[in-house]
């Protein structure tokens, strides 16, 4: 007997191992809502164009809605022998409405169908990720506003560099997430062209209205080239690229939380809600949520690398290799969604240890640059000379095991005779951060203004 999916060209069904490697229903069943949306738009267009009679259109529409209800209710049976979500829906539709269900596939192919389904799913997911990233921005901006004046050490090379504020540090991630959201929106804008109607690769001889189906599905326009329509997975690659960059940002923050919550740093504390214990060491409080956010970045970047490798050698148009776009994309974007949710929870949960942060902010001669700036500003020294004088004073203080503020005025004047008592005003960390008033600087007034500005922007309705 002929194969029930592929028709008379095949006299028998696939070998067991062929069925195993070929079937995608185990993962592409999550495309069911998008597949039914696309089919409803397609059949409505076929009716409007006079390609299908009204009775068949109505029956197919009612049947598709019934299938959708079964899927939502969890009563739909997905069968691997039907290979993918498209054939699964069509098979059940045939059981419900009879032979007229076979007319649904007029003027389309699974090639343009799956491209449309994937674009719809990715588009929906990008919208959700954008909203989640905005939620994390809000949590960070609120924390920044609350701690605009909480002094902490700023690092380069993970060595104490200059004092900053905890709020300023939080706002750095708000800026990163703003760029991430811009990339999500850019990817969404570029993918918003509808492949439906490109058919297998060459278009169709039926008088279809691709602009109508594109509009019905919320796309800006139909794709312009039928070959590109079914061969393109740029939209998945670009979305995975944006997701990977966002995941790296989250991973960097997660790494900081892992370090900061250690007993050696004790910069911040996380509650029991975002930490776990040890099966053998009763004193442990492990930042597992942060560690898992850090680790999942590898899965997300790996999905991007995997799909790039799949696509790199494919001739036009469609090849079965492209079935491998789904699992990695689904997994990566779902993982990013989980990471954004976990990080938002941790940001809202964490409490900075202000006393420890303040003490650490003054360590490592973090106000040395303030001293050099004072020498330039007050004594007119060229910066390179001021840098040299400051370096000598840091050496003296280090040799004595004290901070710069503990050096006596005569000791200061041995390095530069014109130094006066006024220099001590710039050596405190509070004075240091307050002086950083340049745009984007860490001065508490700047941080408050930036945090308030972000909160106002985030409260505005999404365009």
């Amino acid at each position: 007997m002929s194969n029930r999916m592929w028709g008379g060209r095949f006299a028998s069904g696939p070998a067991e191992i062929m069925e195993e490697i070929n079937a995608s229903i185990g993962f592409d069943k999550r495309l069911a809502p998008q597949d039914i949306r696309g089919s409803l738009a397609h059949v409505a267009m076929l009716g409007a164009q006079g390609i299908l009679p009204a009775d068949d259109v109505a029956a197919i529409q009612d049947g598709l809605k019934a299938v959708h209800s079964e899927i939502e209710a969890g009563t739909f049976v997905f069968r691997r022998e039907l290979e993918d979500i498209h054939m699964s829906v069509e098979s059940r539709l045939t059981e419900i409405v009879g032979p007229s269900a076979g007319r649904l596939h007029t003027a389309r192919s699974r090639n343009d169908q799956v491209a449309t389904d994937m674009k719809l799913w990715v588009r929906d997911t990008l919208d959700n990720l954008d909203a989640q990233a905005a939620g994390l921005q809000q949590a960070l901006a609120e924390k920044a506003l609350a701690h605009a004046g909480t002094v902490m050490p700023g690092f380069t090379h993970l060595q104490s560099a200059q004092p900053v504020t905890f709020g300023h540090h939080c706002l750095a991630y708000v800026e990163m997430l703003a760029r991430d959201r811009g990339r999500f929106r850019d990817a969404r804008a570029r993918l918003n062209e509808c492949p439906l109607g490109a058919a297998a690769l060459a278009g169709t001889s039926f008088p279809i209205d691709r602009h109508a189906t594109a509009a019905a599905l919320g796309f800006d326009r139909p794709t312009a080239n039928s070959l590109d329509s079914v061969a393109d997975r740029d939209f998945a690659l670009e979305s995975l690229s944006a997701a990977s960059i966002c995941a790296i940002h989250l991973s960097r923050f997660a790494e900081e939380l892992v370090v900061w919550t250690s007993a050696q740093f004790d910069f911040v504390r996380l509650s029991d809600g975002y930490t776990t214990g040890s099966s053998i060491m009763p004193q442990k409080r492990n930042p597992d949520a942060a560690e898992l956010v850090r680790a999942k970045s590898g899965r997300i970047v790996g999905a991007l690398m995997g799909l790039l490798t799949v696509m790199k050698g494919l001739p036009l148009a469609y090849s079965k290799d492209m079935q491998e776009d789904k699992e990695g994309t689904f997994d990566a974007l779902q993982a990013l969604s989980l990471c954004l949710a976990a990080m938002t929870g941790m940001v809202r949960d964490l409490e900075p240890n202000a006393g420890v942060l303040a003490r650490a902010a003054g360590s490592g001669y973090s106000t040395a640059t303030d001293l050099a700036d004072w020498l330039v500003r007050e004594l007119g020294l060229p910066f390179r000379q001021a840098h040299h004088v400051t370096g000598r004073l840091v050496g003296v203080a280090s040799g004595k095991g004290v901070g710069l503020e503990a050096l006596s005025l005569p000791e200061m004047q041995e390095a530069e005779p014109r130094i006066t008592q006024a220099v001590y005003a710039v050596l405190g960390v509070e004075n240091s951060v307050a002086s950083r008033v340049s745009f984007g600087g860490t001065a508490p007034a700047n941080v408050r203004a930036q945090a308030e500005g972000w909160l106002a922007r985030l409260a505005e309705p999404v365009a």
Side-chain angles (χ1 to χ4, degrees):
M1 72 188 268
S2 65
N3 184 285
R4 60 183 168 276
M5 288 192 293
W6 303 327
R9 172 65 179 84
F10 287 78
S12 63
E16 184 177 351
I17 192 63
M18 178 61 192
E19 185 175 293
E20 180 71 25
I21 196 172
N22 192 49
S24 61
I25 190 61
F27 49 85
D28 72 11
K29 61 185 178 183
R30 75 172 60 197
L31 293 174
Q34 289 78 19
D35 193 70
I36 291 172
R37 280 169 61 193
S39 291
L40 285 168
H42 183 66
V43 74
M45 179 275 297
L46 293 176
Q49 293 297 107
I51 298 170
L52 293 189
D55 289 349
D56 283 341
V57 170
I60 291 169
Q61 288 173 330
D62 289 344
L64 286 169
K65 292 171 185 176
V67 173
H68 185 252
S69 295
E70 290 179 5
I71 291 171
E72 284 196 323
T75 60
F76 188 94
V77 178
F78 295 97
R79 306 203 311 268
R80 192 179 69 168
E81 65 269 21
L82 293 175
E83 187 178 326
D84 58 29
I85 186 59
H86 322 298
M87 298 309 299
S88 296
V89 169
E90 184 174 324
S91 175
R92 179 61 181 138
L93 181 66
T94 301
E95 292 173 353
I96 294 172
V97 306
S100 62
R103 299 184 185 278
L104 173 60
H105 211 53
T106 304
R108 76 174 185 186
S109 161
R110 282 189 295 174
N111 293 353
D112 62 334
Q113 190 178 355
V114 70
T116 303
D117 290 359
M118 274 294 286
K119 279 195 170 186
L120 288 170
W121 187 89
V122 170
R123 189 178 71 184
D124 292 344
T125 303
L126 288 175
D127 289 343
N128 291 335
L129 291 172
D130 180 62
Q132 284 189 284
L136 178 51
Q137 283 184 297
Q138 182 174 359
L140 285 162
E142 289 171 353
K143 195 68 70 172
L145 187 58
H147 294 280
T150 302
V151 177
M152 69 172 288
F155 297 96
T156 61
H157 310 278
L158 202 55
Q159 307 293 315
S160 291
Q162 293 177 299
V164 295
T165 71
F166 191 81
H168 193 57
H169 200 104
C170 289
L171 288 177
Y173 286 100
V174 174
E175 296 292 334
M176 293 182 211
L177 287 160
R179 296 192 294 274
D180 291 327
R181 294 182 64 200
R183 279 182 281 268
F184 293 151
R185 292 181 178 192
D186 286 348
R188 190 197 193 285
R190 260 184 292 279
L191 73 76
N192 210 34
E193 297 181 345
C194 184
L196 198 57
L201 76 162
T204 178
S205 58
F206 289 96
I208 61 174
D209 184 351
R210 292 190 62 210
H211 289 84
T213 49
L217 293 170
F219 289 102
D220 295 331
R221 64 192 69 86
T223 50
N225 181 281
S226 60
L227 286 168
D228 179 56
S229 300
V230 299
D232 165 48
R233 290 299 182 270
D234 289 5
F235 64 92
L237 289 168
E238 186 173 7
S239 298
L240 287 173
S241 177
S244 295
I245 297 170
C246 183
I248 295 303
H249 290 156
L250 299 183
S251 183
R252 295 180 73 178
F253 194 18
E255 167 68 5
E256 290 182 325
L257 292 179
V258 171
V259 172
W260 290 353
T261 55
S262 68
Q264 290 74 21
F265 274 73
D266 194 27
F267 280 6
V268 302
R269 298 208 175 104
L270 288 169
S271 75
D272 293 351
Y274 291 91
T275 57
T276 64
S278 165
S279 63
I280 190 173
M281 295 171 285
Q283 82 282 8
K284 292 297 292 296
R285 183 192 288 272
N286 299 321
D288 282 8
E291 290 173 4
L292 288 166
V293 168
R294 184 177 60 184
K296 286 182 185 295
S297 64
R299 291 174 66 167
I300 296 167
V301 174
L304 171 61
M305 294 300 105
L307 186 54
L308 283 168
T309 304
V310 166
M311 297 301 298
K312 71 176 181 62
L314 297 186
L316 297 181
Y318 181 84
S319 296
K320 195 70 170 185
D321 311 50
M322 292 164 68
Q323 181 170 290
E324 292 297 310
D325 65 342
K326 295 175 191 61
E327 284 183 282
T329 302
F330 294 158
D331 181 77
L333 298 188
Q334 180 180 343
L336 181 60
S337 176
L338 182 59
C339 289
L340 285 164
M343 189 59 77
T344 302
M346 282 187 284
V347 169
R348 295 196 182 282
D349 182 76
L350 68 83
E351 284 300 325
N353 190 335
V356 173
L357 288 170
R359 288 191 293 274
S363 67
Y365 305 101
S366 63
T367 57
T369 305
D370 296 277
L371 173 55
D373 288 346
W374 185 89
L375 293 170
V376 171
R377 187 171 57 250
E378 301 299 326
L379 304 185
L381 269 62
F383 184 80
R384 285 301 168 201
Q385 185 180 348
H387 186 285
H388 180 73
V389 170
T390 302
R392 285 182 58 193
L393 290 171
V394 168
V396 172
S398 179
K400 297 182 67 174
V402 299
L404 285 170
E405 71 280 1
L407 293 178
S408 67
L409 183 58
E411 287 173 319
M412 293 269 194
Q413 290 172 336
E414 284 184 21
E416 169 50 58
R418 291 181 293 162
I419 293 177
T420 68
Q421 190 71 31
V423 74
Y424 291 98
V426 302
L427 297 182
V429 292
E430 300 286 349
N431 290 333
S432 174
V433 296
S435 72
R436 306 294 175 181
V437 294
S438 59
F439 183 80
T442 192
N446 285 14
V447 174
R448 289 188 192 93
Q450 290 280 3
E452 289 169 351
W454 269 114
L455 290 170
R457 273 176 275 173
L458 291 165
E460 294 174 357
V462 177

